[in-house]
Amino acid sequence: VFSLGIGEAVLDLRPWAEQPGAAPTLADTVTATANLGRIEVIVPDTWRVDLTADARAGEITVNGVRIRSDSPTVRYEDVLTPRGDAAGAMTLVLSVGVGEIDIRQRPVDGLGVPGDGPIQQRDKGRDSPGTTQPEARSNDRSNDRTNKENDR
């Protein structure tokens, strides 16, 4: 279970595929939530993934395809099939209040920089990954409206 208040998180599950031992099964569930921000999940393309994703006000993208909805709330349930023979399976449950969810299936080869952890948080003010404290920014314009009314 991973929970984020405000910010961006990248959850790369590919290192799990390289661990010795039993492959994950559908009984293995990964849950990630964010109140405000973005959740990006990278899963091995050799795993079957039972996916449930909810964005109360936002969008969901799966393997580069944006999931469309007629309302601000987007719910997506599907099974991501493995490319080739299945080397594992898992259940993935994602939820964001306001923001984005991005799920991608990628090969296990070329995971990135050695020592990168499976979870990274990104400061909204920076593009570099790392374990930084997310920066809270407000788009609250209520004071602007009040100030304009006082100027009349």
Side-chain angles (χ1 to χ4, degrees), residues 4-137:
L4 177 68
I6 298 173
E8 180 176 351
V10 177
L11 180 58
D12 189 348
L13 300 177
R14 295 175 300 168
W16 189 3
E18 292 190 324
Q19 297 297 318
T25 67
L26 289 177
D28 293 309
T29 300
V30 173
T31 302
T33 63
N35 293 329
L36 174 66
R38 183 171 190 273
I39 299 173
E40 178 181 337
V41 181
I42 305 166
V43 296
D45 63 357
T46 56
W47 287 0
R48 171 193 162 144
V49 179
D50 283 13
L51 171 66
T52 301
D54 288 294
R56 286 188 294 271
E59 63 183 49
I60 298 170
T61 304
V62 179
N63 289 323
V65 177
R66 184 173 173 218
I67 308 304
R68 304 223 180 253
S69 174
D70 292 335
S71 71
T73 300
V74 182
R75 180 172 181 85
Y76 183 75
E77 293 179 317
D78 198 5
V79 175
L80 305 181
T81 57
R83 296 180 179 140
D85 293 332
M90 67 167 299
T91 301
L92 184 60
V93 180
L94 307 172
S95 175
V96 67
V98 177
E100 303 171 40
I101 296 173
D102 184 14
I103 304 104
R104 293 181 283 141
Q105 292 173 290
R106 293 288 182 259
V108 174
D109 298 341
L111 290 177
V113 179
D116 279 352
I119 299 174
Q120 300 173 13
Q121 288 184 349
R122 291 188 182 145
D123 187 325
K124 291 299 255 184
R126 301 181 203 160
D127 288 332
S128 61
T131 53
T132 60
Q133 193 67 3
E135 179 180 320
R137 293 186 180 177

